[in-house]
Amino acid sequence: MPASYAYLGPEGTFTEAALRTLPEAATRELVPYVSVQSALDAVRVGEAEAAFVPIENSVEGGITTTLDELVAGAPLMIYREVLLSITFALLVRPGTQLSDIKTVSAHPAAQPQVRNWLKKNLPDAHWESAASNADAARLVQEGQYDAAFAGEFAAALYGLDVLESGIHDAENAQTRFVLVGRPARPAAPTGADKTSVVLWQRDDHPGGLRDLLGEFATRGINLMLLQSRPTGEGIGNYCFCIDAEGHISDRRVAETLMGLKRICLEVRFLGSYPRADVGVEGVSAPRPGTSDEEFVSASDWVARCQDGRF
């Protein structure tokens, strides 16, 4: 397997900036790809060891392109996550003034994060989406658009000026990125972990989603992300992308997955991996009756009952 990481490029994206915070990135060749799909496909076909892509932001929620790619195609698994605080800069060709800007570009996920600033400062500017924020900067460099919303660090890469910086509609906005590889044994639990799955219902019936969520609730597992995505099989047909607290080696998580496997048409395990938002000290203790010790004790009690030793 090549010692390389694919990422959503070109150079100068927030994705690259987040990837470089991983210690192991220093020992890999970092290869930019033009889209999330092409980066993940590079892993599927063996061109790259892993891919690093955005999956969620605190303003708009899940990045649907990434979620849909993980739902479909050959299975992949999440191994790490990174949180990056996001503020944008308005990048322009040298000499451009705010009054000169008629077109702006950025990745579609950036638009909700700068919408109010754009309305106030450039109300008549036409928005054009780009494959990434850095690609928008490249297109400005080539003269296709007047300005790009991107990371301030991208200006020097593309010979642009920073006309405005610190642009964001929401304070403390963050984007979550994940390192995705081919399926393998999950890393050992850290005590502050997250498990991701995709669920497909057997059939559409009243209380169907409640049945799925009940498997988590009865075992005291908190959900961190719940997003429905269309299956492509017609209006009203959805699967559910879920992030839950805990690791597959935790008894409560393992039993939840077993319960889901029994009642779902399909369950896709996307991995158990360390959380980026808190350390072990920030994780709440399991709810009463849901610790590993209590699961083991209950199992032993059932065994004694079966043997007539209760």
Side-chain angles (χ1 to χ4, degrees), residues 289-306:
T290 67
S291 69
D292 277 9
E293 294 76 13
E294 287 163 315
F295 271 100
V296 171
S297 176
S299 179
D300 289 345
W301 176 79
V302 170
R304 291 197 304 273
C305 290
Q306 291 172 333

Side-chain angles (χ1 to χ4, degrees), residues 23-154:
E24 59 266 39
T27 65
R28 305 295 198 279
E29 179 187 6
L30 308 184
V31 182
Y33 282 75
V34 298
S35 67
V36 168
Q37 180 182 20
S38 60
L40 294 177
D41 282 345
V43 178
R44 288 186 170 112
V45 302
E47 290 179 2
E49 176 185 355
F52 194 77
V53 293
I55 196 169
E56 180 185 6
N57 72 62
S58 59
V59 177
E60 283 289 283
I63 307 294
T64 56
T65 301
T66 302
L67 291 173
D68 290 347
E69 283 299 316
L70 293 176
V71 166
L76 294 169
M77 202 166 95
I78 299 170
Y79 288 93
R80 293 283 298 275
E81 69 174 9
V82 171
L83 294 178
L84 185 71
S85 296
I86 301 293
T87 59
F88 292 90
L90 188 68
L91 307 186
V92 298
R93 292 183 296 279
T96 302
Q97 303 298 315
L98 202 63
S99 58
D100 300 325
I101 297 174
K102 300 296 186 289
T103 56
V104 296
S105 183
H107 187 274
Q111 189 174 21
Q113 302 179 64
V114 300
R115 184 182 293 123
N116 293 334
W117 188 95
L118 195 59
K119 181 178 179 181
K120 178 181 178 181
N121 295 277
L122 292 168
D124 298 322
H126 181 69
W127 176 279
E128 293 283 354
S129 293
S132 68
N133 299 313
D135 193 52
R138 179 185 64 80
L139 294 172
V140 170
Q141 179 192 45
E142 294 177 355
Q144 294 192 42
Y145 305 121
D146 298 324
F149 289 105
E152 189 170 346
F153 46 79

Side-chain angles (χ1 to χ4, degrees), residues 236-278:
N237 289 300
Y238 291 89
C239 59
F240 299 95
C241 302
I242 292 178
D243 289 347
E245 290 181 340
H247 192 279
I248 192 172
S249 66
D250 299 335
R251 290 290 292 268
R252 64 185 183 278
V253 176
E255 291 208 11
T256 297
L257 296 180
M258 285 190 286
L260 292 168
K261 185 64 176 176
R262 286 188 294 103
I263 66 174
C264 289
L265 176 66
E266 183 181 352
V267 177
R268 176 169 284 197
F269 175 65
L270 294 181
S272 290
Y273 47 94
R275 289 173 57 177
D277 57 335
V278 296

